[in-house]
Amino acid sequence: MSDFVEKLRAIVGDKGLITDEQGKHPYVTDWRESFVGNALAVVRPANTREVADVVRLCAAEKVSVVPQGGNTGLVGGGIPQEKGREIVLSLNRMTRITDIDPIGYTMTVEAGVILKTIQETAAAHDRLFPLSLAAEGSCSIGGNLSTNAGGVQVLHYGNARQLVLGLEVVTPQGEIWNGLRALKKDNTGYDLRDLYLGAEGTLGIITRAVLKLWPKPKDVATAWVAVPSPEAAVALLSGAHAASEDNVTSCELMGRQGIDLVLQHIPGATDPLSGRHDWYVLFEWSSTRARREGANAGGLREKMEAYLGEAMEQGLVLDATIAQNETQARALWALRENHTEASKKEGPSVKHDISVAVSKIPAFVTEGLAAMRKALPECRPVTFGHVGDGNLHFNCQAPAGWDKARFLPHAHAVNAAVYDLVVSYGGSISAEHGIGLLKVDELAHYRSKVEIDTMRTIKRALDPQNLMNPGKIVRV
Ligand SMILES: Cc1cc2nc3c(=O)[nH]c(=O)nc-3n(C[C@H](O)[C@H](O)[C@H](O)COP(=O)(O)OP(=O)(O)OC[C@H]3O[C@@H](n4cnc5c(N)ncnc54)[C@H](O)[C@@H]3O)c2cc1C
């Protein structure tokens, strides 16, 4: 093994290699600390050529490669297995933005660039890169594309797959596919780009990408709205599309339990409304048309206020506040974005990143809460998420005072209750986080044989040695 490590060192140098246990620890442990694996080494190439050389060496030595970006994934996809002969290949030194083209609305980036840096670079050029999620300060674009990440603006701009034009990928054989085409139209055979997007590093390593940009919004209105039920939330969203002139960019639903966890665990968090309500919606409308200033001042905020006023008369809204400036808007967003962090601080939980058709959300929530409570009467459901995409984090927090050892034996029953229901609704058991290690068995159970067999056929064809992130998504 020391010979193999020295060969790695010859490719990436001392700066690109971590072999001591303490140094490897953060790379072999996931964000939730649910998965802890083992790696022969953590390898941090500086460019695509080094990635290709490392992968070729691993293919020759039959060592598996686990690509990793910011390691914020929630399904263990970027973590090596406990007993494998694996390296972690971290893209965190590949952080260059190699081209920005505001005229053509594109940006070309290396895979390790942090999402927030991409957003900020786009903004500095009066453009928008709309992918936005709570982990944006630490997740990387390579991880975002490999998980086909969703986030809080999917209902308007689409998920990661819709935000990319071209890719550069290192194949499991260590070859470089340069598909960095900034083309909106390109019907030249099978779409390789779409194959690698969302593949969670099982088919190759994304090393660079050409991203799409949008005009930067000039007018943004953000509201925190108490609603009587998920049904009211969905009706409120439905009417908002027309009322906002198709400018709804985010619509997030939260149950009170999650808000309570945020207020309890996140310093500085405060409840924006005086009363206690069971359900809340965080609304964001944004437009590229600037607000009118002066005597006739107006824009989205006024439109939103009028719409929420009407909705209140119809009983869809119980109370609401509209942010008057960016600081207030950020505080409202922090309440939503700190749900995952607050839940982690509270203790163990099982997470269900599910989706059903938007109009089916209310019925699903009612039935789902009942199913979860039937599976574990003491459970504390924490429901929040991207209701505008029909995607909820329909989570179950362990009963107060329960540790992992006491709680986890119940996880299977809770998962089965929720996922059986999701499938009966024609929904998905993984809307945006992917499959990773966490949901391999569930995927095999809930998807048809023909679907799983086709995935296996693709995997075997592209990675016949099964060296690229083995054991994730499907077992071959
Ligand atoms: C607080 C919090 C909030 C979150 N909110 C959301 C949300 O709203 N929406 C959402 O979709 N996700 C969310 N996530 C999950 C996570 O942030 C996303 O999955 C993100 O896209 C992962 O990016 P990463 O760089 O951290 O990837 P990693 O965790 O490093 O890797 C994720 C997967 O991609 C693979 N991979 C990474 N880089 C590459 C590459 N260059 N080439 C090939 N494969 C690669 C890995 O092997 C792994 O399978 C959240 C996570 C946290 C902690």
Side-chain angles (χ1 to χ4, degrees):
M1 217 15 80
S2 62
D3 184 36
F4 170 67
V5 170
E6 288 320 308
K7 286 181 186 163
L8 288 173
R9 198 186 306 279
I11 298 169
V12 295
D14 285 334
K15 214 173 157 188
L17 195 64
I18 302 171
T19 52
D20 65 295
E21 293 308 316
Q22 203 185 342
K24 286 190 288 185
H25 185 74
Y27 293 89
V28 299
T29 311
D30 78 317
W31 188 85
R32 290 168 68 196
E33 294 168 25
S34 305
F35 296 96
V36 184
N38 275 309
L40 303 175
V42 174
V43 186
R44 302 165 60 233
N47 53 50
T48 303
R49 172 55 52 199
E50 288 186 9
V51 174
D53 289 348
V54 169
V55 172
R56 249 195 330 276
L57 172 67
C58 288
E61 305 258 349
K62 299 199 178 352
V63 172
S64 299
V65 179
V66 181
Q68 192 181 90
N71 196 13
T72 67
L74 296 174
V75 290
I79 299 300
Q81 302 189 64
E82 253 179 292
K83 292 190 184 131
R85 238 170 86 84
E86 307 188 347
I87 62 159
V88 170
L89 191 148
S90 168
L91 281 301
N92 68 6
R93 283 176 72 211
M94 292 180 52
T95 56
R96 278 169 295 236
I97 292 178
T98 54
D99 183 48
I100 169 124
D101 175 6
I103 305 284
Y105 282 79
T106 64
M107 191 192 301
T108 306
V109 298
E110 288 186 331
V113 183
I114 298 297
L115 175 55
K116 199 168 178 40
T117 307
I118 293 173
Q119 296 166 346
E120 288 169 353
T121 307
H125 289 81
D126 199 29
R127 298 290 178 263
L128 173 79
F129 183 63
L131 186 63
S132 175
L133 45 113
E136 63 199 22
S138 34
C139 62
S140 69
I141 191 68
N144 301 147
L145 299 180
S146 300
T147 55
N148 186 23
V152 297
Q153 303 206 92
V154 172
L155 87 164
H156 196 75
Y157 298 98
N159 49 18
R161 193 181 289 282
Q162 274 92 47
L163 313 181
V164 59
L165 290 172
L167 289 183
E168 177 186 78
V169 173
V170 170
T171 70
Q173 293 72 33
E175 288 173 323
I176 300 169
W177 171 57
N178 186 334
L180 285 173
R181 301 169 191 139
L183 302 177
K184 298 223 162 165
K185 292 184 149 183
D186 181 20
N187 287 348
T188 47
Y190 298 137
D191 194 332
L192 300 184
R193 179 196 59 176
D194 263 353
L195 204 52
Y196 293 114
L197 294 168
E200 300 184 45
T202 60
L203 301 179
I205 300 176
I206 295 174
T207 44
R208 285 195 288 165
V210 183
L211 306 174
K212 284 193 220 171
L213 303 177
W214 273 256
K216 191 173 153 193
K218 300 283 186 284
D219 186 9
V220 179
T222 310
W224 185 262
V225 186
V227 293
S229 61
E231 199 167 5
V234 168
L236 190 67
L237 169 64
S238 182
H241 291 301
S244 69
E245 294 171 6
D246 200 17
N247 284 313
V248 180
T249 38
S250 296
C251 182
E252 300 285 305
L253 177 71
M254 289 151 283
R256 181 69 207 189
Q257 303 89 340
I259 307 293
D260 284 339
L261 292 183
V262 173
L263 296 176
Q264 187 186 336
H265 291 291
I266 304 297
T270 51
D271 195 333
L273 301 175
S274 51
R276 240 184 109 77
H277 304 278
D278 288 343
W279 295 99
Y280 298 85
V281 165
L282 178 57
F283 244 146
E284 192 151 286
W285 299 3
S286 50
S287 163
T288 49
R289 190 186 305 166
R291 284 179 63 73
R292 286 189 315 275
E293 300 300 346
N296 265 341
L300 284 180
R301 220 183 296 150
E302 289 72 12
K303 271 195 192 129
M304 188 182 252
E305 201 172 335
Y307 177 64
L308 292 177
E310 281 166 30
M312 198 175 256
E313 283 169 21
Q314 293 161 20
L316 295 178
V317 168
L318 301 172
D319 196 2
T321 178
I322 298 179
Q324 295 304 308
N325 53 46
E326 216 182 311
T327 310
Q328 288 181 7
R330 280 214 194 103
L332 299 181
W333 269 109
L335 286 171
R336 160 63 186 91
E337 291 185 333
N338 277 309
H339 269 61
T340 308
E341 179 75 32
S343 161
K344 183 178 166 184
K345 288 187 171 164
E346 175 71 6
S349 64
V350 285
K351 301 196 184 303
H352 308 110
D353 163 40
I354 63 94
S355 64
V356 297
V358 176
S359 54
K360 290 183 178 173
I361 285 271
F364 172 81
V365 170
T366 306
E367 276 195 69
L369 291 177
M372 215 192 276
R373 290 203 174 98
K374 194 170 167 204
L376 180 61
E378 304 92 330
C379 79
R380 293 183 290 163
V382 177
T383 302
F384 63 96
H386 319 296
V387 67
D389 315 324
N391 170 203
L392 291 181
H393 302 309
F394 200 69
N395 300 343
C396 170
Q397 195 79 34
W402 286 30
D403 61 11
K404 252 187 193 169
R406 189 168 172 203
F407 179 54
L408 286 187
H410 300 274
H412 179 72
V414 174
N415 289 343
V418 173
Y419 292 148
D420 285 353
L421 188 68
V422 167
V423 170
S424 78
Y425 271 74
S428 167
I429 63 161
S430 185
E432 59 173 11
H433 294 160
I435 299 300
L437 274 175
L438 186 68
K439 296 185 185 170
V440 172
D441 291 333
E442 275 95 352
L443 187 75
H445 178 74
Y446 288 108
R447 284 294 159 100
S448 67
K449 183 172 178 312
V450 63
E451 203 165 341
I452 298 294
D453 283 350
T454 306
M455 288 189 204
R456 285 200 180 111
T457 303
I458 293 169
K459 169 73 175 165
R460 286 191 191 116
L462 297 190
D463 181 18
Q465 294 201 85
N466 190 24
L467 292 179
M468 200 52 74
N469 214 1
K472 316 291 166 61
I473 303 188
V474 280
R475 292 193 195 93
V476 290

